[in-house]
Amino acid sequence: MNIQWFPGHMTRARRQIQEKLKLIDVVIELLDARIPQSSRNPMIDEILKDKPRLVVLNKNDLADPKVTAEWIRYFAETENLDALPIDASTGFGVKEIIPRAKKLLAHKIEAQIRKGMRPRAIRALIVGIPNVGKSTLINHMAGRKIAATGDKPGVTKAQQWIKVGTEMELLDTPGILWPKFEDQQVGLALAATGAIREEILHLDEIAYYSIQYLIANYPEELKERYSLDKLPTDLEDNQAILAVMEAIGRKRGAIVSGGRVDLDKASVIILRELRNGKITRISLETPGAQIAAEPIME
Ligand code: GDP
């Protein structure tokens, strides 16, 4: 999780993936179902070129099912990509990966059969940004612990094939990609879901943005979770948004001496509960409108 990416890392990561592409039939592009756009590598099309690709939306358990359905339609209609929602940690949806990969490679497989060859196992590579769930998925597909969680860009080790049943072989080291850091909105989406180091942005700023987003998109769930009577109607009202954060902090006992709310503690609580699905299943982006609200901190 704690990767600092530099241009050198990016070049090396890209080169490593391109080397591996020669060995494989299909790429599993792992995205975070809550932020399919922000968790995507900005150069992915250029890196993968025309290699058959299955988009897999992980952490489906934390994302809003309605919005995930919109994303699946978006990928099919605008990018002609098959997107599969899964939970790598429980294994929900994971069994669908092989049939989907076979469908993508149907031409190749049929050609092998026509030539009288027995189709060999499909060779696959998982790629994605740090913390998207690559190791968890590899371990689930392997049925045992393979990859160490926690990545180091640019570190190579001897790679091995992991058999997934008889029909697939998976490279044991995933391709690690970088997100689009430069865009502040993307940074906030990544930080809110816990994909990047918090030090890059201030905790209270991420929590502020999250609350603003929740007021705009999940108001009833927010009120319910923290027993709030009403929410501000003006998302640009800085004081009103801060008052919501304070009310949450007060309800959760995040108080400093003198009775003031500790905003940092309140922010930790808000982000923890947002990330582990305690508020509700939340998607932070929809196709077309990635992020609803602009954060304004004083
Ligand atoms: P990697 O850096 O891409 O290899 O990501 P990891 O596999 O280390 O996963 C990062 C974090 O996300 C870990 O805490 C996992 O337990 C968690 N995680 C992975 N998949 C899922 C999922 O489907 N649902 C939920 N809720 N958490 C997940």
Side-chain angles (χ1 to χ4, degrees):
M1 180 165 168
N2 295 335
I3 295 182
Q4 294 284 2
W5 286 89
F6 301 108
H9 283 136
M10 296 179 187
T11 311
R12 218 170 324 147
R14 178 189 179 134
R15 202 182 330 117
Q16 282 178 2
I17 290 179
Q18 282 170 334
E19 283 296 310
K20 289 176 182 173
L21 287 183
K22 296 174 191 154
L23 308 173
I24 57 138
D25 304 304
V26 64
V27 172
I28 298 170
E29 186 190 4
L30 202 58
L31 303 177
D32 186 320
R34 297 166 295 174
I35 49 167
Q37 200 56 52
S38 292
S39 60
R40 207 165 200 203
N41 174 271
M43 295 166 77
I44 193 67
D45 291 340
E46 213 180 305
I47 295 172
L48 300 184
K49 302 212 167 65
D50 52 6
K51 188 59 83 175
R53 187 186 340 173
L54 177 63
V55 171
V56 172
L57 303 173
N58 191 37
K59 309 196 187 185
N60 169 67
D61 55 316
L62 299 174
D64 184 334
K66 261 198 339 279
V67 180
T68 301
E70 284 177 36
W71 277 109
I72 292 170
R73 207 174 321 122
Y74 164 86
F75 280 113
E77 285 171 4
T78 61
E79 301 198 28
N80 195 27
L81 286 169
D82 202 8
L84 173 71
I86 68 159
D87 306 335
S89 38
T90 64
F92 167 84
V94 173
K95 273 216 260 322
E96 251 317 285
I97 291 178
I98 292 179
R100 297 273 180 116
K102 279 169 80 175
K103 207 170 102 194
L104 279 175
L105 299 171
H107 280 312
K108 213 168 158 178
I109 295 171
E110 278 161 23
Q112 286 174 339
I113 294 172
R114 263 201 311 279
K115 286 187 206 151
M117 290 154 69
R118 204 161 62 92
R120 60 165 176 76
I122 294 170
R123 295 194 158 163
L125 168 71
I126 294 174
V127 304
I129 65 165
N131 228 31
V132 73
K134 297 180 297 299
S135 307
T136 310
L137 179 59
I138 291 174
N139 289 335
H140 195 92
M141 291 179 81
R144 63 202 146 98
K145 196 158 168 51
I146 303 277
T149 34
D151 305 310
K152 289 193 181 61
V155 174
T156 35
K157 66 168 180 115
Q159 55 200 15
Q160 286 175 13
W161 295 101
I162 301 161
K163 284 198 191 315
V164 187
T166 55
E167 294 184 303
M168 185 174 269
E169 288 176 3
L170 194 62
L171 267 184
D172 69 338
T173 39
I176 305 165
L177 292 165
W178 62 96
K180 194 173 163 209
F181 297 111
E182 319 80 65
D183 185 325
Q184 208 219 354
Q185 293 291 294
V186 172
L188 281 165
L190 289 166
T193 54
I196 58 171
R197 286 171 72 144
E198 280 159 1
E199 298 92 275
I200 297 170
L201 294 153
H202 294 292
L203 207 64
D204 55 356
E205 198 173 346
I206 307 162
Y208 180 98
Y209 150 72
S210 302
I211 288 297
Q212 219 179 13
Y213 184 83
L214 290 169
I215 293 170
N217 295 281
Y218 298 92
E220 292 312 314
E221 293 86 346
L222 183 64
K223 282 202 294 204
E224 166 86 22
R225 176 76 193 163
Y226 300 107
S227 316
L228 304 167
D229 298 331
K230 56 178 175 36
L231 294 172
T233 46
D234 181 5
L235 286 177
E236 308 298 311
D237 185 345
N238 199 224
Q239 291 310 315
I241 306 280
L242 284 171
V244 173
M245 291 170 70
E246 280 171 6
I248 294 171
R250 198 170 295 285
K251 293 231 150 98
R252 290 299 157 95
I255 309 285
V256 282
S257 58
R260 266 192 314 108
V261 171
D262 182 334
L263 215 53
D264 282 336
K265 266 200 195 137
S267 299
V268 169
I269 294 166
I270 291 165
L271 289 173
R272 191 176 54 223
E273 300 198 348
L274 172 87
R275 286 171 187 166
N276 61 22
K278 285 276 171 10
I279 300 171
T280 186
R281 291 174 69 173
I282 291 163
S283 293
L284 290 162
E285 294 170 351
T286 53
Q290 287 175 24
I291 284 155
E294 282 276 342
I296 319 134
M297 289 296 283
E298 278 181 338

